[in-house]
Amino acid sequence: MSIIDGRAVAKKIRGDVKSKIAGLGFQPGLAVILIGDNWESKLYIEQKEIACKEVGIQFFLHEFVSSVEINEVISLIQKLNADRKVQGILVQLPISVSLDLIKIQEAIDPWKDVDGFNPINRGLLFSMAKKASLETMIPCTPAGVMRLLEEYEVDVNGKNVVVIGRSNIIGKPLSYLLLQKGATVTICHSQTKDLKFHTQNADILVCAAGQEALVTAEMVKKGAVVIDVALNRVTDQSKKGYHIVGDTDFEKVKSKASLITPVPGGVGPMTVAMLLQNILKASLIK
Ligand code: GUN
C-alpha cells in the first residue's frame, strides 16, 4: 500500500504556476465572495488566500452577511466581470443561506469562472467540448483528483470506478471526467440501496459523501485505489477542539488499498493548486 502525497503534487503545480505567472507581465487577481458564516468555507478561503499570495496572484475577498439579497451579490459580480484587475471570480461554497446558486453562478463571466460552475462551462464539460479554441474550466476538485491519478500512473481506461456522492461540485463533474477517460462509472448516493454491493467491485473508489467512517475495509476490494475527497470535522480534546477526517475508516482501509489518499493532505491541497491553474488559464485569455 502507498499513500498518495497530495501536498507534494500540489507544491509542484504551485511552483509551475508561479513561474508562468511571473512571465505574464501583469499580476492576475482572484475575487472570492463569501456569503454568511460557514467554517468549511472560511477554511477553504484561508488556504486559497495563502496559495494566491505565494504564486503572485492578488486576492480580493468580498464578504456578505447571510441576510444579503441575491441582487446585491449579482451586482457585485457584474462589477467584478468588468474589473480588469480581476481574472478569476468564485463564490465560496457551501453557503449558509438559501439563495439561488444557479442564478449567481450564471452571472459570473464564463471566461472568469475559475470554478467551472457557470452553466455554460458545466455544459461544455458534460458535452466534452471546448470553449473557442481553449480548454474549458474544469471544476477544481475533480481536476485535482484526475491529476493525482495521472501523477500516480493510475490508468482509468476500462476500470470499474465507483463515485460515492452526486454533488454538482464533485460527484457529477468527476464522473464525467472519468467517463471521458474510458472508465465504467457508477455513481452512488444517499438513496443507493446496497452501497457495499457496488464498492466491493470498484477498482477505483472515490468517496465524496461527507459522512465520517462511511467506507469500511469490508467494502473495499483488495488492491483498489481509494480517493477520499471528503472533509468531516470531528470534535476532540485538542486545543483547536476538532480534527478533520474523510469518509473512509483510513487505518483499516489502507491495508486493503494499493493506493490511498489521506485526509488531510490528499485531495485538499490539489483543489487549491488546480484553482491556481484555472486562474492562470483565465489570465491567458485576451
Ligand atoms: N467548496 C468546496 N469545493 C469548492 C470549490 O471547488 N469551489 C468553491 N467555490 N467552493 C467549494
Side-chain angles (χ1 to χ4, degrees):
M1 179 274 314
S2 301
I3 294 182
I4 292 179
D5 190 348
R7 288 197 180 110
V9 179
K11 189 172 173 197
K12 189 169 85 175
I13 296 169
R14 290 200 304 273
D16 179 51
V17 171
K18 186 175 179 173
S19 63
K20 290 190 174 129
I21 282 182
L24 276 178
F26 69 97
Q27 192 181 18
L30 171 69
V32 172
I33 302 173
L34 172 65
I35 305 170
D37 188 35
N38 179 284
W39 71 267
E40 203 179 329
S41 288
K42 287 184 171 170
L43 183 67
Y44 283 125
I45 289 177
E46 259 173 47
Q47 292 166 352
K48 289 175 183 177
E49 181 167 12
I50 293 168
C52 280
K53 290 188 171 154
E54 181 194 334
V55 302
I57 294 170
Q58 288 195 80
F59 185 88
F60 307 106
L61 177 62
H62 299 269
E63 291 185 69
F64 287 111
V65 291
S66 47
S67 57
V68 68
E69 297 283 332
I70 191 166
N71 291 344
E72 292 174 68
V73 181
I74 289 179
S75 143
L76 170 68
I77 291 173
Q78 284 163 348
K79 276 192 208 123
L80 296 170
N81 283 343
D83 188 337
R84 293 173 64 89
K85 294 194 298 302
V86 172
Q87 278 62 45
I89 304 169
L90 67 87
V91 176
Q92 188 57 51
L93 303 176
I95 56 174
S96 50
V97 288
S98 143
L99 286 175
D100 187 343
L101 256 188
I102 301 289
K103 256 194 179 159
I104 293 175
Q105 289 163 345
E106 204 172 32
I108 298 175
D109 180 339
W111 299 100
K112 292 192 176 187
D113 172 34
V114 285
D115 260 337
F117 292 165
N118 177 296
I120 289 180
N121 285 326
R122 283 192 194 282
L124 287 166
L125 170 69
F126 293 160
S127 55
M128 302 172 188
K130 288 185 177 184
K131 181 163 62 183
S133 60
L134 292 153
E135 293 291 337
T136 185
M137 293 291 178
I138 309 289
C140 306
T141 304
V145 171
M146 295 306 287
R147 180 66 188 265
L148 279 182
L149 292 172
E150 217 178 280
E151 288 282 331
Y152 280 80
E153 296 179 353
V154 178
D155 184 8
V156 305
N157 188 36
K159 299 277 170 56
N160 287 335
V161 183
V162 171
V163 177
I164 311 176
R166 55 174 160 173
S167 73
N168 286 333
I169 302 182
I170 303 169
K172 284 187 222 158
L174 178 58
S175 299
Y176 270 85
L177 292 171
L178 289 160
L179 183 64
Q180 212 164 350
K181 293 278 182 196
T184 302
V185 185
T186 304
I187 308 175
C188 298
H189 47 79
S190 54
Q191 304 306 305
T192 299
K193 289 224 162 50
D194 184 354
L195 189 57
K196 185 177 166 194
F197 168 81
H198 298 281
T199 60
Q200 65 192 3
N201 195 33
D203 303 310
I204 302 169
L205 177 60
V206 180
C207 314
Q211 201 178 318
E212 181 201 342
L214 173 71
V215 177
T216 59
E218 306 75 67
M219 294 165 74
V220 177
K221 177 170 148 181
K222 188 143 185 51
V225 174
V226 178
I227 307 288
D228 195 340
V229 184
L231 279 188
N232 304 302
R233 191 150 82 158
V234 179
T235 28
D236 63 19
Q237 301 300 317
S238 70
K239 210 167 138 198
K240 243 183 357 187
Y242 66 90
H243 63 279
I244 303 286
V245 298
D247 282 349
T248 53
D249 180 357
F250 184 77
E251 287 308 320
K252 296 204 175 103
V253 170
K254 84 174 183 201
S255 55
K256 290 276 283 291
S258 59
L259 262 180
I260 187 167
T261 56
V263 178
V267 178
M270 291 300 292
T271 297
V272 180
M274 301 320 277
L275 170 68
L276 301 177
Q277 236 184 29
N278 278 350
I279 299 167
L280 174 66
K281 216 189 251 187
S283 304
L284 292 168
I285 296 164
K286 288 282 173 282

